[in-house]
Amino acid sequence: MAGTPTLVVVLDGLSTAGLNTGCRHGVPWYVAHLGSQIVSALSAPDRLLTDGLADAIARVAELHPGCDLSNPGTPSATVAILRENADSLDHLVLADSPVVFDGADGISVITDLRVDEVLLDLKAEVEQYETHTDGHREALQKLVSAQRQVRNTPEGYWVAAAVPEAAEQALSGTAPCVDVRAAAVMSDGVSRLVTEYGTATWSEVFATLRSGGPCELIDRVRKVEATDPTGRRWPRYKSGDDATVAFCQW
């Protein structure tokens, strides 16, 4: 996560499942540098979020020219951005890290779930196994390998990697500030409390954020996951995914 008093950027690095990426730096390096480059690229408050993201992706690519950026598994990340202007809020979502608004008309969730629409048979194969088993690990590697072939293609889904044009595929928009009471920008490791586990509503998520902040919400996620450590009740790729949330309130 990165940001300024008027900008929040939440990135979630994609799992490599132990497969080769063609990059000697790795996903954490990529995420850290992409975050800082996005903040820099959006230092001008009137710049389009998509343009800033495209510029940031290009800049990071220039930082490791010795790596094989054509590798389909090159380090990549989901992106969620929220920016406050004088009287409006700009948002951008690339892949499944959502921006959620609590406004006068209720809850509004901005997310990009195209990744969930591809390779359904391989996902079902992963879900047959409990986490931390050889079968699960092998099925997950098979899925990730196949996902890489459709990543950042019209037939698949889009993430931030080494292709600036991916920014054009992001979901973006603007909302009047007067219509929004609060917003949460998060990784899917947090949103799954509602979307996958079904143990909270979005209204309850915002109530938790108001009472205890992001730490309390993430702790709630971990407690739920601890009741199903091997993914029998909620089949998933790992017992607990990276969890990040930024809470913004006006």
Side-chain angles (χ1 to χ4, degrees):
M1 183 170 64
T4 71
T6 58
L7 178 71
V8 170
V9 180
V10 170
L11 307 176
D12 187 12
L14 271 65
S15 172
T16 66
L19 300 173
N20 176 54
T21 66
C23 174
R24 63 183 178 85
H25 300 93
V27 175
W29 177 93
Y30 177 79
V31 169
H33 284 75
L34 182 63
S36 62
Q37 291 295 343
I38 291 174
V39 172
S40 175
L42 293 176
S43 58
D46 57 347
R47 190 173 194 194
L48 291 176
L49 298 186
T50 50
D51 290 348
L53 175 58
D55 188 25
I57 293 173
R59 290 182 186 178
V60 176
E62 293 172 354
L63 293 177
H64 57 150
C67 297
D68 179 11
L69 302 184
S70 65
N71 186 306
T74 190
S76 54
T78 69
V79 182
I81 303 174
L82 181 66
R83 180 178 64 190
E84 180 183 16
N85 295 313
D87 55 4
S88 64
L89 294 168
D90 301 331
H91 67 265
L92 178 149
V93 169
L94 185 62
D96 57 4
S97 289
V99 175
V100 186
F101 294 107
D102 179 12
D105 296 327
I107 303 295
S108 177
V109 182
I110 314 298
T111 188
D112 176 2
L113 299 178
R114 279 174 282 189
V115 66
D116 292 341
E117 300 171 0
V118 299
L119 305 171
L120 299 180
D121 54 337
L122 294 180
K123 290 179 181 178
E125 185 177 339
V126 175
E127 293 176 353
Q128 292 178 2
Y129 300 96
E130 294 184 14
T131 57
H132 310 298
T133 63
D134 290 341
H136 185 275
R137 181 167 51 255
E138 291 170 5
L140 182 58
Q141 287 186 335
K142 185 178 178 181
L143 170 62
V144 171
S145 180
Q147 284 179 330
R148 289 178 171 188
Q149 302 308 312
V150 296
R151 189 175 293 168
N152 286 349
T153 71
E155 297 76 26
Y157 62 104
W158 300 83
V159 295
V163 181
E165 290 76 17
E168 300 172 5
Q169 302 296 324
L171 305 180
S172 60
T174 300
C177 284
V178 295
D179 293 343
V180 180
R181 291 190 293 262
V185 186
M186 64 185 71
S187 66
D188 71 328
V190 178
S191 63
R192 63 185 51 198
L193 187 68
V194 177
T195 60
E196 296 183 34
Y197 304 153
T199 57
T201 65
W202 285 117
S203 294
E204 290 170 342
V205 164
F206 278 101
T208 299
L209 287 170
R210 288 187 173 96
S211 64
C215 288
E216 183 173 322
L217 180 61
I218 293 172
D219 183 60
R220 183 172 178 180
V221 173
R222 298 304 185 217
K223 287 179 179 177
V224 168
E225 291 171 338
T227 67
D228 181 41
T230 61
R232 295 183 60 132
R233 181 178 181 185
W234 299 296
R236 51 196 189 271
Y237 299 156
K238 57 182 74 173
S239 297
D241 203 356
D242 295 338
T244 301
V245 57
F247 179 49
C248 310
Q249 192 169 210
W250 291 270

